[in-house]
Amino acid sequence: MSLPATTGRDGARAAVPSDRPRTAPVSVILPVFVRLKLTLLRNGLRQSGRRRAAYVTSMVLAVLFAALQLLGLLAVRGNDHAAALVTTLVAVLALGWAVMPLFFSSGDETLDPSRLVMLPLRPGPLMVSLLVSSLLGTGPLFTLILVLGSVLAVAHGGAAAATAVLAVPLVLLVCVALARAVATANVRLLTSRKGRDLALLSGLIIAVGIQFVNIGMQKLSGENGLSTLEPAADVLRWVPPATAVDAVQGAGDGEWGPALGQLALTAAALVLLLLWWHRSLTRLMTAPDSSTLQAAESGRAPGAGPAGRGAPARFLPGGRTGTVMLRTFRYAWRDPKTKAGWATALGVGLLVPVVTQVQGGGSIYAACWASAMLGMQMYNQFGQDTSAFWMVAQTISTSRDAYLELRGRALTVAVVGVPYVTAVVLGSAALLDAWSDAAEALGLSLALLGALLATGAVGSALHPYTIPQDSGFKNVHPSQAGLATLSIFGGMVAGAALCAPVLAATIWLHTSGTHGLLWLILPVGAGYGLALVAMALRWSAPRVADRLPEILAAVSK
């Protein structure tokens, strides 16, 4: 705190406190942040032996993978389509920098600038210090190696080499600034419960990304090779920071006008990102968040809103069944693990038919994956409630209560599953132009969905297990791993076996030449699945009522 001088009555000068805090310049803040980042990296080696081994292994594998990519990029030097390859590669790399903070923000403590809002730091010096310290780490090193390989693959001549000297730091700075700007703009979300929900969905995003990478690699290994990337590269070469890498190719070919324009476009993108980051930092350091403000309740009637039975409840049946459905829907929307399970089921159920069709081996019967993934949501219904199941258990005193509880949970899955499976089957029929097989495929899918709902109800009654809440990626207690395996895989095998009559009828109609009757598989499969669910609920309800203390103990570990 500064102490400005003032003059008293006797003419003496005295120092009085000033309420204006002094802010440190960049020359003071920057070394502190660099040392902070180095300390965080060094602390990664001071953990337990297992965590230290994982930390070192991940760093070594990342650098090794980048080195192999560097050799691969050098190998395509001189190829006619090398520019298309490196342009697409840098664009995908920048996309990764943009989305990774949204899913893995907890992996780097320095991505959360809200920890610094109480310090007397101005956004400008803070931004410069964070930007420089962000250049330290495995991620920036990995990016630097790939960008170096990219420019070496297309740099021919002194002009291209001179352009590469500007292009490499520009690409690296754009990637780092993009990640920082995205993280700062969404820091309130990333540190909230919704942010943790988003992190739990990272597995689904990675799985979908791997499938697209797999499809891309298959396309590249085809007869067209790298020429497949040319249409995409024609667009991406004008999207920063890929513009900087393509400028190296243009400079080598003597096209100075487009090359200078692409470098200028990359620099402009960097300036815009820095301005966005600066504005987000200023808002973060000056604007109050929801934790310091009282929730506004103006205009809300008593009992209305999320706590009451709002618009979704109006479409649900009355009585206990509707109450159970509403509670299950709220769990699926609010509980991170339940939400991740539903999102994974919906994503994978749609992804598998699309991937198989794109790879050339598609079949409309691959839509049964949608039934399988949605049907699995019925397993371990009581374990999904964790220790809160004791509140539900207090309301179950008879077999009728248990039946209504199970029926409400099964209807929740069916309300989502039946339209979803129908949409996937019809979408597969449209992609494959197999409308003649749509009816039988939908009948088989609905029969499988009903069979899995039935076995899920039985498994929930006989083999419940707890879902730990202390870890976002642990879905079963170690002592119950065998029980969970028996419940899930045994139920899936049983569900597939229960579909044998419908499958046998479909095969018989095909082999007997009576293709005109294949449409009957749709009502037969739907009715058969419904009958299986009804019988399973009737059988499971008294078991739930009789084994309620055992179920409560199993899900509360």
Side-chain angles (χ1 to χ4, degrees):
M1 181 176 296
S2 61
L3 298 175
T6 60
T7 303
R9 293 181 178 179
D10 55 356
R13 298 178 62 85
V16 298
S18 171
D19 58 355
R20 178 179 299 176
R22 295 180 59 185
T23 58
V26 177
S27 58
V28 175
I29 301 176
L30 180 57
V32 175
F33 275 80
V34 171
R35 289 197 302 269
L36 173 63
K37 187 59 178 285
L38 293 175
T39 301
L40 291 174
L41 295 175
R42 186 172 61 252
N43 287 345
L45 302 174
R46 294 180 177 178
Q47 306 177 59
S48 63
R50 181 178 300 179
R51 297 184 65 182
R52 182 168 57 249
Y55 182 79
V56 174
T57 302
S58 63
M59 292 182 62
V60 172
L61 289 178
V63 175
L64 180 61
F65 180 74
L68 293 176
Q69 295 297 311
L70 174 61
L71 295 176
L73 290 170
L74 293 177
V76 300
R77 179 179 172 87
N79 189 288
D80 294 337
H81 305 289
L85 172 64
V86 298
T87 301
T88 307
L89 176 64
V90 172
V92 173
L93 190 64
L95 178 63
W97 275 93
V99 301
M100 285 304 168
L102 299 177
F103 300 109
F104 303 103
S105 59
S106 60
D108 186 355
E109 293 87 346
T110 63
L111 283 175
D112 185 6
S114 62
R115 303 185 181 196
L116 309 172
V117 296
M118 299 302 294
L119 299 177
L121 301 175
R122 292 191 179 276
L126 177 62
M127 185 179 67
V128 174
S129 302
L130 287 174
L131 180 63
V132 175
S133 61
S134 298
L135 297 175
L136 304 175
T138 307
L141 178 60
F142 178 85
T143 303
L144 178 61
I145 294 175
L146 286 188
V147 175
L148 280 175
S150 299
V151 297
L152 290 176
V154 295
H156 301 283
T163 307
V165 172
L166 297 175
V168 171
L170 271 177
V171 173
L172 184 60
L173 289 174
V174 167
C175 290
V176 174
L178 177 61
R180 283 290 181 177
V182 170
T184 304
N186 296 278
V187 67
R188 304 288 193 199
L189 169 66
L190 297 177
T191 55
S192 65
R193 181 179 61 85
K194 291 184 178 181
R196 293 189 291 271
D197 296 351
L198 190 64
L200 285 176
L201 299 179
S202 59
L204 175 62
I205 302 298
I206 293 175
V208 173
I210 289 175
Q211 291 299 325
F212 280 109
V213 170
N214 183 33
I215 295 174
M217 294 301 294
Q218 291 185 0
K219 294 292 185 180
L220 292 178
S221 60
E223 59 182 11
N224 293 327
L226 295 178
S227 62
T228 309
L229 298 174
E230 289 292 348
D234 289 338
V235 177
L236 295 176
R237 61 171 40 102
W238 293 104
V239 178
T243 47
V245 175
D246 193 72
V248 177
Q249 168 80 12
D253 294 339
E255 300 175 355
W256 282 105
L260 292 176
Q262 289 173 316
L263 287 176
L265 184 59
T266 308
L270 177 60
V271 172
L272 291 176
L273 287 173
L274 293 176
L275 290 176
W276 178 29
W277 185 11
H278 187 278
R279 181 177 180 182
S280 300
L281 270 177
T282 303
R283 184 170 62 250
L284 180 67
M285 300 174 72
T286 57
D289 61 0
S290 58
S291 64
T292 60
L293 298 175
Q294 294 183 352
E297 298 290 340
S298 59
R300 176 176 295 181
R309 291 177 63 87
R314 290 199 295 267
F315 300 97
L316 301 179
R320 177 168 186 141
T321 300
T323 302
V324 173
M325 293 181 67
L326 182 61
R327 182 202 332 133
T328 308
F329 276 125
R330 284 178 174 171
Y331 279 174
W333 181 252
R334 296 178 180 178
D335 181 64
K337 287 194 173 182
T338 307
K339 181 186 294 187
W342 275 94
T344 301
L346 294 171
V348 175
L350 179 62
L351 181 65
V352 172
V354 172
V355 170
T356 55
Q357 193 275 335
V358 172
Q359 292 177 340
S363 170
I364 193 172
Y365 300 103
C368 290
W369 273 95
S371 299
M373 298 304 300
L374 264 295
M376 289 178 62
Q377 300 307 305
M378 188 63 190
Y379 287 83
N380 195 33
Q381 277 291 313
F382 305 129
Q384 295 179 21
D385 295 354
T386 62
S387 58
F389 178 67
W390 73 270
M391 299 181 65
V392 178
Q394 304 304 312
T395 65
I396 300 177
S397 57
T398 64
S399 297
R400 178 64 178 174
D401 295 334
Y403 173 77
L404 294 177
E405 181 72 25
L406 285 173
R407 186 176 70 175
R409 295 173 184 252
L411 280 174
T412 304
V413 180
V415 164
V416 178
V418 172
Y420 176 76
V421 169
T422 303
V424 172
V425 171
L426 295 180
S428 300
L431 287 174
L432 298 169
D433 195 19
W435 293 104
S436 59
D437 300 328
E440 60 185 278
L442 182 56
L444 287 171
S445 299
L446 293 178
L448 178 60
L449 178 62
L452 292 176
L453 290 177
T455 56
V458 174
S460 297
L462 299 181
H463 306 294
Y465 56 91
T466 187
I467 299 178
Q469 298 298 303
D470 57 347
S471 173
F473 302 96
K474 186 187 298 182
N475 292 317
V476 61
H477 194 275
S479 63
Q480 297 176 317
L483 182 64
T485 302
L486 175 64
S487 176
I488 296 177
F489 290 99
M492 292 178 64
V493 172
L498 288 174
C499 292
V502 181
L503 180 61
T506 305
I507 295 175
W508 180 79
L509 289 175
H510 273 282
T511 56
S512 63
T514 54
H515 294 81
L517 298 178
L518 282 171
W519 64 271
L520 292 173
I521 298 299
L522 175 55
V524 169
Y528 181 74
L530 182 61
L532 288 178
V533 175
M535 290 188 293
L537 294 179
R538 292 289 181 185
W539 187 89
S540 302
R543 274 76 182 176
V544 171
D546 295 340
R547 301 183 67 250
L548 199 58
E550 301 175 30
I551 295 175
L552 184 58
V555 303
S556 301
K557 283 190 176 182

